Amino acid sequence: MAEAAAMIPFIDLAAQRARLGQPLEDAILKVVRSGAYIMGPEIGQFEAELAAFGEAPFALSCGSGTEALVLPLMAWEIGPGDAVFCPAFTFAATAEAMPLVGASPVFVDVLPDTYNIDPAKLDAAIAAVKAEGKLTPKAVIAVDLFGQPADYPAIAAVCAKHGLKLIADSAQGFGCTLGGKHPLHWADVTTTSFFPAKPLGCYGDGGAVLCKDARLHDLLVSLRVHGQAVKSDLEGRTFDHDPKYLNMRVGMNSRMDTIQAAVLLQKLSIFADEIAARNRVAARYAQGLGDVVRVPPVIEGGVSVWAQYTVETDDRDGLAAHLRGEEIPSAVYYPVPLHQQAPYAHYPAPGGLPVTEAASAKVISLPMHAYLQPDVQDRIVTAIRNFVKKNG
Ligand SMILES: Cc1ncc(COP(=O)(O)O)c(C=O)c1O
């Protein structure tokens, strides 16, 4: 009798850890031995290297990708009565940031090919909210869903037309480019998450905000540590006490642990190579599956970091069960869009979200990581082809 095949990993963090080897463990131990657990030297070093990678004038590390979204909203004093436009076909954190500052998310439909926010529908949604006059449009959060860049030139033009700030929620897409440029080329800020399963992940929670404006960066530095006085608050002033405990605004504690920065410095050193490997895996999937399921198209001129490789099929549950039987994991991101979930159902979605609803009924994500070997990937492709042949 043939031996049962082992379950294929959905994301192979162990293979990455083996590649990084002893230097990764040494870097962690160095922090443990140094005692500089909070804001140790690795934090500044990582922020500098992250900014260089993302071609950003400034990068600020923080506690999570969720807080990375909240921090710029706080810096811009977005709050009650304000509208921030975002897709509903995304992880909850994208929309959650708005109620956390008292503002309202306004949901906009996505494009059927890339699942990223539809610029024409964005323009129409902003006009609808303005016409209604109940909320004041302030910002847009575009999401680089599953790793690929949103249509930033078109989205930025809509934001400029209406005078809105633009956040690129690149929690899944950090490292993606469009025409060779990172989303920050068009956006006011890019945010990301270092949740372990993200393309660039750490060994716990973490996030970052990248921006172009020095004053905004200074404000974010302040907000990350309880609104402490920062450079721009202190300039030209003298104090008869240590300004370290001078609080200028209400902030929060959103510091990243030094250990996570040490891990990320190691991971960043191989990230470009991993993005290239993910693109090779995506190309093999497209070649092996393009004639049997809908494989994901990438925006023209875009490079995805492939946080997920997501295909569409009418019998998603059947395919998932078939794959499970072959020891192949799969996942559905996202089966219930945010506008249909209880905490978000009362927020506006002008014009409805038909593309979002259709996509959420059909999508299924396959194993995707930089270490997926061709023979293992062949197993996945063959299993899908066999399922479609039998049921198609
Ligand atoms: C699109 C998107 N935005 C925001 C987040 C929030 O990141 P975190 O889990 O680090 O708070 C995530 C992932 O978790 C995400 O996928």
Side-chain angles (χ1 to χ4, degrees):
M1 211 172 104
E3 218 176 283
M7 190 70 152
I8 292 170
F10 192 68
I11 291 169
D12 198 345
L13 289 176
Q16 185 196 50
R17 197 160 69 84
R19 173 180 177 184
L20 289 166
Q22 196 59 43
L24 173 72
E25 297 185 8
D26 290 346
I28 294 171
L29 197 56
K30 184 170 168 235
V31 179
V32 173
R33 288 182 173 149
S34 78
Y37 309 128
I38 299 289
M39 300 307 275
E42 286 83 356
I43 291 287
Q45 199 186 332
F46 172 61
E47 289 177 338
E49 293 195 15
L50 188 74
F53 190 97
E55 296 180 335
F58 304 99
L60 175 109
S61 62
C62 65
S64 69
T66 306
E67 288 167 358
L69 288 165
V70 172
L71 285 164
L73 297 181
M74 289 173 78
W76 293 326
E77 298 180 7
I78 290 175
D82 294 336
V84 179
F85 299 79
C86 70
F89 196 46
T90 178
F91 184 65
T94 306
E96 187 180 37
M98 282 67 108
L100 285 175
V101 297
S104 170
V106 176
F107 294 115
V108 179
D109 212 359
V110 294
L111 294 163
D113 50 357
T114 62
Y115 308 133
N116 283 331
I117 200 165
D118 181 328
K121 290 183 177 173
L122 173 64
D123 192 22
I126 297 166
V129 168
K130 279 184 170 170
E132 200 189 26
K134 285 194 190 148
L135 295 167
T136 309
K138 285 286 175 71
V140 172
I141 303 182
V143 177
D144 299 325
L145 198 76
F146 303 151
Q148 75 154 304
D151 185 355
Y152 285 104
I155 297 164
V158 173
C159 289
K161 174 179 159 190
H162 294 282
L164 307 187
K165 300 283 188 197
L166 175 57
I167 296 178
D169 177 352
S170 219
Q172 301 180 13
F174 183 73
C176 73
T177 53
L178 184 58
K181 297 187 173 80
H182 292 264
L184 189 65
H185 178 77
W186 297 275
D188 294 288
V189 307
T190 293
T191 65
T192 193
S193 161
F194 302 122
F195 181 80
K198 296 289 190 255
L200 180 63
C202 59
Y203 287 167
D205 276 310
V209 187
L210 289 80
C211 70
K212 299 183 271 204
D213 181 76
R215 168 71 181 153
L216 175 61
H217 175 253
D218 214 28
L219 271 176
L220 295 169
V221 170
S222 170
L223 291 165
R224 174 177 64 178
V225 187
H226 309 291
Q228 69 181 9
V230 286
K231 248 190 346 238
S232 58
D233 296 315
L234 299 177
E235 263 155 16
R237 297 176 65 183
T238 51
F239 299 92
D240 55 8
H241 56 84
D242 183 352
K244 184 174 176 200
Y245 293 108
L246 188 63
N247 300 90
M248 306 299 290
R249 53 194 67 80
V250 173
M252 61 165 118
N253 171 13
S254 187
R255 292 175 296 233
M256 176 193 274
D257 293 345
T258 311
I259 285 178
Q260 302 305 342
V263 169
L264 284 162
L265 278 164
Q266 298 293 315
K267 291 206 187 189
L268 195 55
S269 70
I270 59 165
F271 189 43
D273 184 65
E274 288 186 334
I275 293 172
R278 284 172 179 272
N279 274 283
R280 285 194 294 276
V281 171
R284 284 202 300 263
Y285 268 141
Q287 210 198 352
L289 294 173
D291 59 331
V292 292
V293 289
R294 200 209 77 149
V295 295
V298 176
I299 187 172
E300 202 187 325
V303 175
S304 176
V305 297
W306 298 106
Q308 304 297 341
Y309 192 86
T310 304
V311 301
E312 272 187 23
T313 166
D314 290 332
D315 186 9
R316 168 173 78 196
D317 294 344
L319 177 59
H322 174 76
L323 292 177
R324 214 166 23 250
E326 304 262 334
E327 304 288 338
I328 298 166
S330 64
V332 175
Y333 306 108
Y334 296 91
V336 186
L338 294 180
H339 69 295
Q340 295 179 334
Q341 301 213 28
Y344 301 100
H346 63 288
Y347 291 116
L353 308 178
V355 177
T356 296
E357 287 165 17
S360 64
K362 287 187 176 177
V363 287
I364 178 166
S365 301
L366 307 177
M368 165 52 83
H369 54 85
Y371 304 93
L372 190 53
Q373 296 304 310
D375 59 325
V376 178
Q377 201 177 355
D378 284 348
R379 228 176 95 194
I380 302 167
V381 167
T382 303
I384 295 170
R385 296 193 72 87
N386 286 342
F387 175 79
V388 174
K389 224 186 308 167
K390 221 166 49 198
N391 300 275

